[in-house]
Amino acid sequence: MNTAYTKSSLLSLFLVMSVFFSLPNLVLALTPDQVVVIANTRANDSLSLAKYYMQQRAIPAENLIKIRTTWKESCNRQQYQEDIAEPAKKAVQKLQQNKRIRCLVTMYGVPLKIRAPVLDLDDEEQVKQLKKQIRQEQEKLKAAQKIEHSQLKNLIDSLKLQIKLLQQTDTRAAVDSELALVLTDTYPLENWLPNPYFLGFQRQKTFLQRDTVLMVSRLDGPTPDIVRRIIDDSIAVEQKGLQGKAYFDARWARPDPQKKLSGYALYDAAIHKAAELVKQERAMEVLLNDKSALFTAGDCPEAALYCGWYSLSKYIDAFTWVQGAVGFHIASGECATLKQEKSQGWCKRMLEQGVAATIGPVYEPYVQAFPLPDLFFSKLTEGYLTLGETYLISLPFLSWQMVLIGDPLYQPFSPEMIGNSQPTPSKTERNSTL
């Protein structure tokens, strides 16, 4: 996974990490009438699953948006704009005349990702010639003297950037991540945009305004039966609270807390911190692996929570998932497909094996685009936030690659069951924040 920074420096993010957990509980009180469900009438089971979910969660019937588009997992930008974004925007704006809409749920059968544009013949030929030139410069680099290395590397990087601009790969995105901005009139499609709800950006001005951003979650999976199981498990677990063990799979020993970190090191340290915070928050067994080797088969029975990295598109069957389990694996493209039978991507395989919620990117996201593990798991286990709200405040970027799969109303932990016995805020306090 590339750790390059392509649009916005995350220096400000690192500077405010120390204040994340001193902030008051942010309870947005997402309610069923604020949730809009999007179903694709051209996809088998999409509409029936949408109606089932809405019935189980008491979501008003008028909060259903029916679209008609491709049933394939990917679509082009025109299909997204005309078939998905425009009808969704009109329907949400109409609903908002009488109520506040804060969350969209894309159902099984709604495309998962937006492709880059197809190149014309001239651009294809130009890309071909640039690739040929890169190979030539790489051969020169092998034989060059050390003093020439820097100049040749800069030239190669420049040629790669030209290819990237021609192919417009940075306009690729998750459908859900773009839908979060469906109420935003205009914004750049290249690369990402900082999420104004992300706690790490609370002290800086962002291009996007909060009142134009919606939380988006997806009820999807390899089969309709799995989607129905996600819905049923989420509701069932809320009655008793999520029970089981938490597993965190770092790769290195925890670094000096005074050391400034970025990229992989920052996220590895965040996994360590997540384990510590969950242990403080909940009376559940927490197991942290800080060795270079990942968890292996049989290592993780009764898994309720999980975060780890880095097994690229190769799920490791180390887990026995309990009902309602939540977790994600930090690696590129782990949500590139939920339907391809032979795929071993973590999102697809975790859903097949029993999790109720997971997170992953549809294309290369860069590591810093993932939700911060310590922020995500600490806020989830506090119990005040739903799954959708937790994801929203822990996700750094929008108009990008990340997808949340799960019921956004899912609240797996009750505040009354907090391990450190923090008092439950009053209803007034809960509704007064954000």
Side-chain angles (χ1 to χ4, degrees):
M1 187 190 304
N2 193 331
T3 61
Y5 294 77
T6 60
K7 193 171 194 178
S8 171
S9 170
L10 291 187
L11 177 60
S12 58
L13 183 155
F14 307 144
L15 293 176
V16 300
M17 288 296 288
S18 61
V19 303
F20 274 173
F21 301 102
S22 64
L23 295 174
N25 292 314
L26 302 176
V27 180
L28 312 186
L30 180 66
T31 56
D33 66 310
Q34 297 172 334
V35 176
V36 166
V37 179
I38 303 175
N40 182 7
T41 59
R42 291 192 63 197
N44 293 337
D45 300 294
S46 185
L47 187 57
S48 61
L49 285 168
K51 290 180 177 179
Y52 178 76
Y53 172 62
M54 295 175 73
Q55 180 185 47
Q56 296 303 305
R57 282 297 193 183
I59 296 171
E62 66 267 21
N63 286 22
L64 174 63
I65 300 175
K66 298 177 184 178
I67 63 171
R68 185 171 176 81
T69 191
T70 177
W71 58 85
K72 296 181 180 179
E73 288 193 285
S74 67
C75 63
N76 60 41
R77 180 62 65 170
Q78 183 177 358
Q79 287 173 314
Y80 166 75
Q81 194 61 41
E82 295 179 357
D83 299 347
I84 303 174
E86 289 180 8
K89 181 177 183 177
K90 289 178 182 178
V92 170
Q93 288 177 331
K94 183 177 180 180
L95 287 166
Q96 284 188 328
Q97 294 174 9
N98 299 308
K99 65 176 78 176
R100 186 183 181 197
I101 300 301
R102 298 179 48 240
C103 180
L104 303 179
V105 177
T106 50
M107 295 302 302
Y108 179 93
V110 174
L112 181 65
K113 55 189 178 181
I114 304 168
R115 301 186 298 269
V118 177
L119 299 184
D120 60 29
L121 292 178
D122 289 342
D123 286 342
E124 282 187 358
E125 180 60 29
Q126 191 173 349
V127 168
K128 182 179 178 181
Q129 293 303 317
L130 287 167
K131 289 181 176 179
K132 180 179 178 181
Q133 188 177 351
I134 287 172
R135 290 193 295 270
Q136 293 172 345
E137 298 303 327
Q138 287 173 334
E139 289 301 316
K140 291 181 184 178
L141 181 61
K142 291 179 183 178
Q145 297 181 7
K146 192 171 182 180
I147 194 172
E148 301 174 290
H149 282 193
S150 178
Q151 182 178 357
L152 287 169
K153 286 180 179 178
N154 288 338
L155 176 57
I156 291 169
D157 287 343
S158 175
L159 294 170
K160 288 180 177 179
L161 179 59
Q162 291 179 56
I163 292 175
K164 189 175 183 180
L165 292 173
L166 283 168
Q167 293 179 329
Q168 298 184 54
T169 54
D170 281 346
T171 67
R172 300 181 303 180
V175 165
D176 295 7
S177 192
E178 293 289 19
L179 276 173
L181 308 185
V182 74
L183 298 179
T184 303
D185 291 331
T186 58
Y187 58 91
L189 297 180
E190 297 80 12
N191 300 314
W192 55 46
L193 290 170
N195 172 13
Y197 278 105
F198 176 52
L199 293 188
F201 295 147
Q202 293 300 291
R203 296 185 180 181
Q204 71 178 59
K205 186 176 181 180
T206 57
F207 174 86
L208 299 170
Q209 302 300 311
R210 286 187 177 188
D211 58 1
T212 67
V213 173
L214 298 171
M215 66 183 80
V216 184
S217 188
R218 174 171 289 261
L219 285 170
D220 203 349
T223 68
D225 286 344
I226 288 176
V227 177
R228 188 177 292 260
R229 192 262 306 156
I230 291 170
I231 297 167
D232 293 342
D233 284 356
S234 300
I235 294 171
V237 168
E238 287 180 348
Q239 307 305 311
K240 59 183 179 181
L242 182 57
Q243 301 171 12
K245 301 177 183 179
Y247 293 94
F248 294 96
D249 202 352
R251 304 298 296 274
W252 309 307
R254 188 169 183 178
D256 182 344
Q258 303 302 316
K259 186 177 180 180
K260 291 186 178 180
L261 303 173
S262 62
Y264 293 125
L266 173 66
Y267 276 73
D268 196 78
I271 292 174
H272 281 268
K273 185 67 173 176
E276 176 185 312
L277 292 169
V278 171
K279 188 178 294 184
Q280 293 173 3
E281 202 66 52
R282 290 284 154 186
M284 67 191 309
E285 186 175 352
V286 178
L287 294 98
L288 171 69
N289 173 25
D290 62 359
K291 309 302 180 186
S292 58
L294 280 72
F295 287 125
T296 58
D299 284 349
C300 306
E302 302 177 69
L305 300 176
Y306 164 73
C307 187
W309 71 289
Y310 179 78
S311 177
L312 179 60
S313 299
K314 188 177 180 181
Y315 175 73
I316 297 175
D317 195 8
F319 311 89
T320 303
W321 301 104
V322 301
Q323 185 182 39
V326 178
F328 65 94
H329 188 80
I330 299 172
S332 304
E334 297 308 323
C335 199
T337 178
L338 297 174
K339 304 294 193 298
Q340 292 179 14
E341 185 176 350
K342 294 183 179 180
S343 171
Q344 292 298 306
W346 280 75
C347 287
K348 172 180 174 287
R349 295 293 292 121
M350 287 174 71
L351 292 167
E352 288 176 332
Q353 293 300 308
V355 302
T358 189
I359 298 166
V362 297
Y363 296 111
E364 167 61 68
Y366 308 107
V367 67
Q368 65 268 24
F370 277 87
L372 269 295
D374 46 353
L375 181 54
F376 178 84
F377 287 99
S378 68
K379 292 302 177 186
L380 186 71
T381 54
E382 279 180 4
Y384 301 109
L385 299 178
T386 65
L387 177 70
E389 294 161 344
T390 301
Y391 177 69
L392 181 66
I393 66 167
S394 61
L395 180 69
F397 303 112
L398 297 169
S399 185
W400 197 231
Q401 316 299 352
M402 214 60 63
V403 174
L404 168 65
I405 301 169
D407 179 356
L409 292 164
Y410 182 34
Q411 202 160 358
F413 296 99
S414 167
E416 288 80 7
M417 298 170 62
I418 292 176
N420 61 10
S421 301
Q422 291 179 354
T424 303
S426 68
K427 184 176 181 180
T428 300
E429 291 171 329
R430 288 165 60 89
N431 291 331
S432 65
T433 56
L434 290 186

